Amino acid sequence: MLQALKQELSLLAGLQRELDKRKTDGLLRQRRLLDSPQAEHIVANDQQFLSFCSNDYLGLANHPKLIATMQAAAGDSGVGSGASNLITGHHRYHDTLEKRLAKFVGMPAALVFSTGYMANIGVLGALVGRGDAIFADKLNHACLNEGSYYSLAEFHRYPHNDVATLEKLLNASTAKHKLIAADAVFSMDGDIAPIPEYLALCQKYDAYLYLDDAHGFGVLGTHGAGSLSHFHIQSPRIIMMATLGKAAGVAGAFVAGEQVVIDYLIQTAKSYVYSTPAPPALSATLTESVNLIEQGDDLRAHLQDLIRTLKQHLQLTKWKLMPSITAVQPLLVGNNHEVVSLSEHLQKCGILVPAIRPPTVPVNTARLRISLSAAHTQSDVLKLAHALNEAERNMQS
Ligand SMILES: *Cc1c(COP(=O)(O)O)cnc(C)c1O
């Protein structure tokens, strides 16, 4: 009886067919069940692994000082925000974090969002709309694209880091306002956008730049202030966003820019206005995390040492490490099946490195996304390098 009813529900039956198809195509994704803190050595699916999967680039996600701060802040501010920011949800801890972030990145003001995804979805639609145009790098993160669609502005994509094509598009545009939107550090490539060139185009064509620094914040620039600091760039034409769940080790995101931009977003960014903020204790923890980032020059130096070690000890002829000075060190394999068997082979050796395939990356550029963290030791990285060297020799024979 119930079975018959289930078969009649065509929507649900369609979902099942879709899932079955993904499974037969080898595209069904599975979550690993984690039974340890996020760290370089994890327990996932009841097994111990050396992990190169996390975006916790400075190793702060399990930092004793941050754990203690979160516990203490929960004690004095509770565990829930209770209402949206514009009602009674805006706690002093949120406010302190915003001021701390603005000062740290050298911008007049900042606004905290619950996640990076929500920030990108809310901000683009608030800043531009019908009659305006967004110019986006082809390899931008999915949520920048989503935010662009929601904005109803014209949407132009240019090839990855291609300044000349971008200039042609800007030159041809008759839009009222023009906004270039790009990842500052690309999540699957680890390379850095040509930010000085973008700013020059903004000045030439009266455009603005929205930069997503999810992978640069905490890692690049003076004391980890991010990609803008890396290039020593400041401009009222720039609005930056960064996530706080990666190098900052906690959760959330912020947008920083001119005071008028932030004031306007508080009124109009829907994912800010109509959403309950993350608990104040999280903001208190993040303020402490910004302190650790700022004092973390030795962590960043160690991270750079690990990158050097990886580059020096990989002896590969076929697979290639892509050029990157960031914590994201992708190993280009090319073939989809090959990258999956490589990732599975490493897993059998107790090492987790995710295989990234199209459509996440362009066709024929399947890769391992190796992400390094200051929590890794030299011997962790040597273990990975040796496993990869051996895997290439064995898979060719
Ligand atoms: C992770 C990521 C986001 C999303 O941030 P969350 O806080 O995880 O929602 C946005 N942009 C880029 C480039 C990212 O890598």
Side-chain angles (χ1 to χ4, degrees):
M1 184 69 189
L2 192 58
Q3 199 55 38
L5 177 63
K6 278 187 182 169
Q7 274 163 9
E8 268 172 39
L9 300 177
S10 65
L11 175 72
L12 305 195
L15 301 183
Q16 190 60 57
R17 273 197 305 277
E18 179 65 24
L19 286 175
D20 292 345
K21 179 166 176 355
R22 281 183 185 223
K23 191 160 186 187
T24 36
D25 293 348
L27 292 174
L28 191 69
R29 308 192 57 179
Q30 307 267 5
R31 299 178 297 179
R32 283 193 185 86
L33 192 56
L34 194 68
D35 278 309
S36 67
Q38 187 63 258
E40 68 290 7
H41 293 276
I42 58 172
V43 178
N45 292 352
D46 297 321
Q47 236 185 303
Q48 287 219 341
F49 289 105
L50 169 58
S51 162
F52 294 91
C53 301
S54 160
N55 301 313
D56 176 28
Y57 303 131
L58 297 179
L60 299 183
N62 194 30
H63 195 288
K65 202 163 183 181
L66 298 185
I67 295 168
T69 304
M70 178 112 80
Q71 286 167 337
D76 66 48
S77 68
V79 293
S81 289
S84 66
N85 284 278
L86 297 181
I87 307 300
T88 54
H90 190 58
H91 191 277
R92 183 166 295 281
Y93 283 150
H94 297 127
D95 199 61
T96 304
L97 174 62
E98 288 176 348
K99 294 192 166 83
R100 181 74 180 91
L101 285 165
K103 186 155 169 264
F104 182 52
V105 298
M107 292 275 204
L111 186 65
V112 169
F113 284 77
S114 299
T115 70
Y117 209 109
M118 283 176 65
N120 282 345
I121 283 200
V123 174
L124 289 171
L127 295 180
V128 292
R130 254 186 245 286
D132 300 327
I134 293 174
F135 302 85
D137 190 292
K138 201 115 193 204
L139 297 189
N140 275 351
H141 192 268
C143 59
L144 276 174
N145 295 336
E146 295 270 299
S148 302
Y149 294 137
Y150 280 129
S151 77
L152 304 180
E154 280 170 33
F155 187 50
H156 304 275
R157 295 174 90 188
Y158 57 89
H160 181 48
N161 285 349
D162 185 343
V163 178
T165 302
L166 171 59
E167 174 157 21
K168 277 188 203 135
L169 290 169
L170 285 166
N171 191 29
S173 172
T174 55
K176 184 151 172 260
H177 299 299
K178 306 178 187 101
L179 183 71
I180 302 169
D183 286 18
V185 172
F186 286 82
S187 48
M188 297 302 149
D189 296 65
D191 59 342
I192 307 174
I195 298 172
E197 285 85 348
Y198 287 172
L199 182 58
L201 289 181
C202 286
Q203 283 152 353
K204 187 167 173 189
Y205 295 97
D206 189 20
Y208 297 83
L209 178 58
Y210 184 73
L211 273 183
D212 178 337
D213 204 18
H215 303 277
F217 182 75
V219 173
L220 296 178
T222 310
H223 305 313
S227 300
L228 288 171
S229 164
H230 174 76
F231 289 112
H232 307 289
I233 278 181
Q234 265 187 325
S235 165
R237 290 189 180 274
I238 297 179
I239 298 123
M240 75 160 281
M241 169 276 189
T243 60
L244 298 168
K246 287 168 182 158
V250 189
F254 70 97
V255 176
E258 293 298 298
Q259 186 70 52
V260 64
V261 172
I262 299 306
D263 289 346
Y264 188 78
L265 291 176
I266 292 172
Q267 304 298 318
T268 60
K270 289 186 188 163
S271 62
Y272 183 79
V273 175
Y274 298 107
S275 180
T276 308
L282 224 61
S283 279
T285 312
L286 280 162
T287 301
E288 192 52 44
S289 166
V290 176
N291 295 338
L292 294 178
I293 290 173
E294 190 169 51
Q295 296 155 13
D297 285 349
D298 50 343
L299 296 177
R300 280 177 290 278
H302 177 57
L303 182 60
Q304 289 301 327
D305 281 344
L306 296 174
I307 294 170
R308 254 188 305 279
T309 301
L310 181 68
K311 288 181 176 171
Q312 276 167 7
H313 289 266
L314 279 183
Q315 289 161 341
L316 302 172
T317 51
K318 203 162 135 230
W319 306 328
K320 252 175 80 181
L321 211 52
M322 295 169 66
S324 158
I325 60 161
T326 68
V328 182
Q329 293 287 321
L331 185 71
L332 189 64
V333 171
N335 182 281
N336 293 353
H337 298 293
E338 197 170 332
V339 80
V340 172
S341 23
L342 176 57
S343 179
E344 283 169 357
H345 167 76
L346 291 173
Q347 197 168 325
K348 283 191 199 113
C349 308
I351 303 176
L352 278 188
V353 193
I356 312 286
R357 287 170 290 173
T360 308
V361 292
V363 176
N364 295 328
T365 69
R367 66 198 69 173
L368 283 187
R369 182 182 186 270
I370 301 169
S371 83
L372 297 177
S373 160
H376 286 121
T377 62
Q378 293 285 347
S379 94
D380 290 335
V381 173
L382 288 175
K383 197 170 162 195
L384 172 67
H386 293 151
L388 286 168
N389 291 340
E390 201 161 304
E392 196 192 62
R393 279 197 297 274
N394 292 340
M395 283 171 92
Q396 264 162 347
S397 59

